[in-house]
Amino acid sequence: MGITDIVILNWNGEQHLRTFLPSVVANSPAGVRITVADNGSTDGSRELLKREFPDVNLIEMDRNYGYAEGYNRALTEGSFDGTGYFVLLNSDVETPPGWLEPLTEYLDDHPRTAAVAPKILSFENKSTFEYAGASGGFIDALGYPFCRGRILTTLEQDTGQYDDAREVFWATGACMAVRKDVFHELGGFDPGFFAHMEEIDLCWRMQLAGWKIAVQPRSHVYHLGGGTLQSGSPRKLYLNYRNTLYMLYKNLPPGRRGMAIALRMMADGLSALVYLLTFRAGAFRAVWTAHRDFRSTRKKYGHLPPVTVPLKKLSGVYHGSIVARYLFGKRKFGRML
């Protein structure tokens, strides 16, 4: 089956490494290699790793390439075996005993599954789902992601209600086990995204290529979240708004994407108006700049072959509007899909 490599991308995360890396080292099975790919940190991360974690492999990059290109470079240029699985893990994730085996066993038992994620719980409140993944990722018709256990900003308590393994639309980049050969065959993450939404884009492309995506809640980890960009920061909002438009443009059939993008941009405009009326000028500018940059750069994807598989044919898709559903008070996943 090849070798399993845990790869943690780090940028100025010295305190996260000090807090969370010991659990990864202690609770990963023998024979699993742990690598930290450092994205040009300037905060002492590299010195900490060399001093306190000498058995952890270190890849040192010359600058911050972001999540997408940073991982692409690390996984391509690192001395990794060509078969087996990558486990992409954020630096702010605590891993309990027994967290890894259910993920690799799921991939062993499901040869058409390209990526699988664990259940993601909050590090600060371990009985609550965490925003970046919860118990499996889904998407609606306009590209809004949501999860079993997290609808927009509402987080549910974990009472075991979503403990069944199942196919989903996307596996979270906070903790994702992925087949090495599939990752490389599909070109990895889109480096143009820099950060945010790149794992959803990759999972979408995996499904278009005939692969499946899954969640296996027999595995769970605890995610702190917001380690690099805080929720609601203008930079994070910009990347999310822009990259969602990129994702729709790339992965929808040509006959469908025009209307979907127009509707999504209208919805974004309403969000921008709310930001303006609530005196969040930075957030308003983030939306405006994201739309401007999308319009000026979308042609870079013109070389891609046209998509023929409609979104409705893929797993984990809600064909309505998750935003409208939320506004009408339906803020739990329940049995919606």
Side-chain angles (χ1 to χ4, degrees):
M1 291 296 180
I3 295 174
T4 296
D5 283 286
I6 299 170
V7 186
I8 299 169
L9 189 68
N10 174 70
W11 179 67
N12 286 345
E14 179 181 1
Q15 291 307 312
H16 286 335
L17 293 172
R18 192 186 304 276
T19 300
F20 297 102
L21 186 55
S23 73
V24 182
V25 173
N27 296 321
S28 297
V32 172
R33 300 187 302 186
I34 303 171
T35 296
V36 173
D38 187 77
N39 239 344
S41 292
T42 58
D43 68 342
S45 292
R46 299 180 182 188
E47 292 74 16
L48 171 73
L49 290 164
K50 292 173 182 178
R51 183 177 65 251
E52 299 186 19
F53 300 95
D55 294 331
V56 172
N57 185 37
L58 173 61
I59 297 174
E60 299 183 75
M61 291 183 279
D62 60 334
R63 61 183 177 86
N64 181 13
Y65 290 94
Y67 182 97
E69 187 174 356
Y71 258 127
N72 287 354
R73 285 174 174 264
L75 301 184
T76 301
E77 299 172 7
S79 57
F80 297 110
D81 185 80
T83 59
Y85 311 131
F86 288 126
V87 180
L88 311 185
L89 187 68
N90 277 13
S91 62
D92 58 349
V93 171
E94 179 183 83
T95 59
W99 72 282
L100 184 56
E101 293 89 338
L103 301 178
T104 56
E105 290 170 3
Y106 190 95
L107 291 176
D108 289 345
D109 295 340
H110 297 79
R112 291 307 303 167
T113 297
V116 61
K119 179 165 63 176
I120 310 291
L121 300 173
S122 169
F123 176 73
E124 296 180 323
N125 184 353
K126 291 184 167 59
S127 65
T128 302
F129 288 109
E130 208 277 325
Y131 184 90
S135 191
F138 297 78
I139 199 168
D140 79 355
L142 296 183
Y144 286 95
F146 61 99
C147 308
R148 288 198 304 177
R150 190 271 291 175
I151 304 293
L152 299 185
T153 59
T154 297
L155 297 165
E156 296 183 44
Q157 292 288 304
D158 174 28
T159 60
Q161 71 271 41
Y162 306 125
D163 274 357
D164 57 308
R166 61 164 293 176
E167 291 180 27
V168 294
F169 191 85
W170 55 275
T172 174
C175 183
M176 171 200 296
V178 59
R179 296 183 187 276
K180 293 177 180 178
D181 56 351
V182 177
F183 183 90
H184 290 310
E185 285 170 9
L186 295 180
F189 297 115
D190 184 335
F193 280 45
F194 187 79
H196 298 290
M197 306 297 291
E198 65 287 299
E199 79 268 47
I200 304 179
D201 171 71
L202 176 61
C203 289
W204 195 338
R205 289 186 281 121
M206 286 174 172
Q207 287 208 66
L208 291 175
W211 293 93
K212 298 178 180 179
I213 312 299
V215 61
Q216 172 52 283
R218 284 203 300 114
S219 169
H220 68 274
V221 299
Y222 302 104
H223 184 219
L224 179 62
T228 303
L229 288 175
Q230 293 297 315
S231 175
S233 75
R235 175 62 173 167
K236 185 170 186 175
L237 288 170
Y238 164 80
L239 291 169
N240 279 331
Y241 280 107
R242 187 200 64 177
N243 292 349
T244 295
L245 296 173
Y246 280 162
M247 183 175 68
L248 294 172
Y249 188 83
K250 291 172 56 182
N251 297 311
L252 287 173
R256 304 262 181 164
R257 69 186 180 197
M259 179 61 71
I261 289 172
L263 291 173
R264 178 58 194 248
M265 294 180 81
M266 289 173 60
D268 290 353
L270 292 175
S271 297
L273 181 60
V274 171
Y275 293 144
L276 187 63
L277 294 175
T278 54
F279 306 103
R280 296 178 61 187
F284 172 81
R285 285 193 296 271
V287 179
W288 185 87
T289 306
H291 284 196
R292 180 201 66 190
D293 291 352
F294 166 71
R295 290 189 183 96
S296 66
T297 57
R298 62 186 173 184
K299 291 183 179 178
K300 68 181 180 179
Y301 295 115
H303 68 284
L304 297 176
V307 174
T308 59
V309 181
L311 182 61
K312 65 182 181 180
K313 296 291 186 180
L314 306 180
S315 296
V317 178
Y318 178 58
H319 301 300
S321 168
I322 197 67
V323 175
R325 188 179 186 275
Y326 188 87
L327 293 175
F328 280 102
K330 297 180 179 180
R331 300 182 178 183
K332 292 186 177 181
F333 188 94
R335 299 180 180 178
M336 65 178 295
L337 282 174

